[in-house]
Amino acid sequence: MTGANSFQVSGYGPERAGWTRLFARDSLARRLDWPILLSAIALSLIGSILVFSATRNRTELNQGDQYYFLIRHILNTGIGIALMIGTVWLGHRALRTAVPILYGVSVFLILLVLTPLGSTINGAHSWIKLPGGFSLQPSEFVKVTIILGMAMLLATRVDAGDKQYPDHRTVVQALGLAAVPMLIVLLMPDLGSVMVMVVIVLGVLLASGSSNRWVFGLIGAGTMGAIAVWQLGVLDDYQIARFAAFANPELDPAGVGYNTNQARIAIGSGGLAGSGLFHGSQTTGQFVPEQQTDFVFTVAGEELGFIGGGLIILLLGVILWRACRIARETTELYGTIVAAGIVAWFAFQAFENIGMTLGIMPVTGLPLPFVSYGGSSMFAVWVAVGLLQSIRVQRPMSA
């Protein structure tokens, strides 16, 4: 493609774009999906306020500095936005060629978690301790790798014009690519991340046009696998207890069911408009554990009420709506699959996180995208935003 209507970002043809051209008003700015970008920024800013409210009085966590988590959350957001810009500059097509390297690095990192370098935080052995008091959760980046890797395999022959849909052999290869890191993450065990990855795989298969037999077969295999995992004792005791508490909330209200019960009390007390920012009794009284991470939505529910919680859900909905539109409008199957995989990821993880605070989903320790405190999660979701923007930027202008 050439001419004014064929702007390409870095490395696709003779028009390699530099930073000046990248931010030119008549090119990238016109092609960016601003609803996604502005919604993600708004969610991150709301998250900063909620994280600050949840941690400003927790001296045992903030090391005596009430701004400790606020500063880190803002810093994580800034790094995430920088990663998004870098992803757009490189382009999703350039990353397509780097999938083998990215996949190898991701598998290597999650294997490190199973070595003495791995550490346990909040009951989950999913982290790698880094110098300076930082931690890395590789499973967050595996979600991106699975999307890119499966998209590369499923779309290669279709985009080349050799096939109309991925054949069975290609689907088997894509499932094998996803299965390796998923099994390693299950051994940690990090059941929440595995659940997200399963949903991602289903979303990718549906978007690729693969036979529905694969989707139904995968659902059946997943059900049998879940039963096998339960019977073989792969899960830790605390994870089994969480599912038991979900099935029967009154089983142990002062023990394993404490988090969920306190979360529901906090959200229920907020009413329509909330008790006011920094005035939530449950939040100020520190009754809800892990409120800056897994249960950050309870701060919104209590202090900002139904209106504040609804705003968060609305902004997430805007991102999902625009991402679906990007998936539908791109002219290449690879871009469609990547966008659809991100939609499946964001939709399920947000539903699971909010659902567990309401007691309609089991507690799994998944963060709320863009809102919860945590560098690894923040970096991964902003890379995903960069992929969505890249797919939109590099589509034909007429699309």
Side-chain angles (χ1 to χ4, degrees):
M1 298 186 299
T2 58
N5 291 337
S6 62
F7 172 69
Q8 299 174 335
V9 177
S10 85
Y12 310 125
E15 298 182 78
R16 180 174 179 84
W19 287 103
T20 302
R21 184 68 184 277
L22 180 64
F23 289 99
R25 186 173 182 178
D26 64 342
S27 54
L28 184 70
R30 192 156 53 98
R31 287 171 168 261
L32 283 177
D33 193 298
W34 286 101
I36 286 182
L37 182 58
L38 294 177
S39 295
I41 292 174
L43 284 169
S44 297
L45 292 176
I46 291 172
S48 299
I49 297 172
L50 300 181
V51 167
F52 176 62
S53 179
T55 59
R56 62 194 179 92
N57 293 324
R58 300 204 172 192
T59 55
E60 77 282 4
L61 296 177
N62 61 28
Q63 303 179 18
D65 180 5
Q66 65 175 340
Y67 300 105
Y68 177 82
F69 283 95
L70 173 63
I71 293 173
R72 288 198 166 201
H73 188 83
I74 294 175
L75 178 61
N76 289 337
T77 300
I79 295 174
I81 292 175
L83 289 172
M84 178 206 69
I85 294 172
T87 302
V88 176
W89 183 69
L90 287 172
H92 66 290
R93 295 173 187 159
L95 290 174
R96 181 177 187 170
T97 63
V99 163
I101 297 174
L102 297 174
Y103 182 81
V105 171
S106 297
V107 172
F108 174 73
L109 288 175
I110 56 177
L111 284 173
L112 283 182
V113 176
L114 302 178
T115 70
L117 294 176
S119 63
T120 301
I121 299 179
N122 300 328
H125 191 77
S126 308
W127 304 80
I128 299 174
K129 280 288 187 181
L130 300 176
F134 295 95
S135 299
L136 178 70
Q137 189 175 13
S139 58
E140 291 294 333
F141 302 101
V142 170
K143 298 169 187 175
V144 179
T145 304
I146 288 178
I147 292 172
L148 291 175
M150 292 189 70
M152 179 196 69
L153 288 173
L154 293 171
T156 297
R157 299 186 68 182
V158 176
D159 284 340
D162 297 336
K163 294 281 185 180
Q164 187 175 3
Y165 301 106
D167 55 30
H168 294 312
R169 181 179 179 181
T170 302
V171 174
V172 171
Q173 292 173 341
L175 291 176
L177 179 144
V180 173
M182 288 172 62
L183 289 174
I184 298 173
V185 173
L186 184 62
L187 291 175
M188 293 179 181
D190 184 354
L191 184 60
S193 293
V194 172
M195 291 170 61
V196 175
M197 293 173 193
V198 169
V199 173
I200 287 173
V201 171
L202 289 173
V204 163
L205 288 180
L206 286 171
S208 70
S210 302
S211 171
N212 288 334
R213 288 178 294 178
W214 283 107
V215 177
F216 292 123
L218 188 60
I219 293 174
T223 302
M224 292 186 291
I227 295 174
V229 165
W230 186 279
Q231 294 294 328
L232 294 174
V234 175
L235 300 180
D236 285 341
D237 291 340
Y238 80 93
Q239 292 174 314
I240 296 176
R242 283 178 174 179
F243 279 97
F246 166 68
N248 181 9
E250 303 302 323
L251 180 65
D252 186 11
V256 70
Y258 177 82
N259 289 19
T260 301
N261 288 331
Q262 294 300 319
R264 294 171 69 180
I265 292 172
I267 293 175
S269 66
L272 178 62
S275 57
L277 196 59
F278 311 133
H279 290 89
S281 58
Q282 291 290 110
T283 300
T284 304
Q286 306 177 22
F287 290 104
V288 184
E290 307 305 327
Q291 207 170 10
Q292 75 276 15
T293 53
D294 303 346
F295 289 90
V296 70
F297 189 76
T298 63
V299 186
E302 181 181 27
E303 299 187 347
L304 304 179
F306 178 81
I307 295 175
L311 176 60
I312 290 175
I313 296 174
L314 176 63
L315 291 171
L316 288 167
V318 169
I319 293 175
L320 295 175
W321 160 55
R322 299 297 297 185
C324 286
R325 183 172 178 176
I326 289 172
R328 185 179 68 250
E329 293 181 347
T330 185
T331 57
E332 56 178 5
L333 181 60
Y334 174 70
T336 296
I337 294 175
V338 171
I342 293 171
V343 169
W345 166 16
F346 284 7
F348 178 78
Q349 187 160 317
F351 177 77
E352 164 60 29
N353 177 277
I354 296 173
M356 73 183 185
T357 65
L358 299 174
I360 62 174
M361 292 294 286
V363 176
T364 56
L366 289 172
L368 184 59
F370 302 101
V371 182
S372 292
Y373 174 80
S376 299
S377 174
M378 186 68 77
F379 302 158
V381 295
W382 274 106
V383 167
V385 170
L387 289 170
L388 291 173
Q389 297 290 4
S390 173
I391 294 167
R392 179 176 170 83
V393 164
Q394 294 175 17
R395 70 177 185 173
M397 283 293 291
S398 60

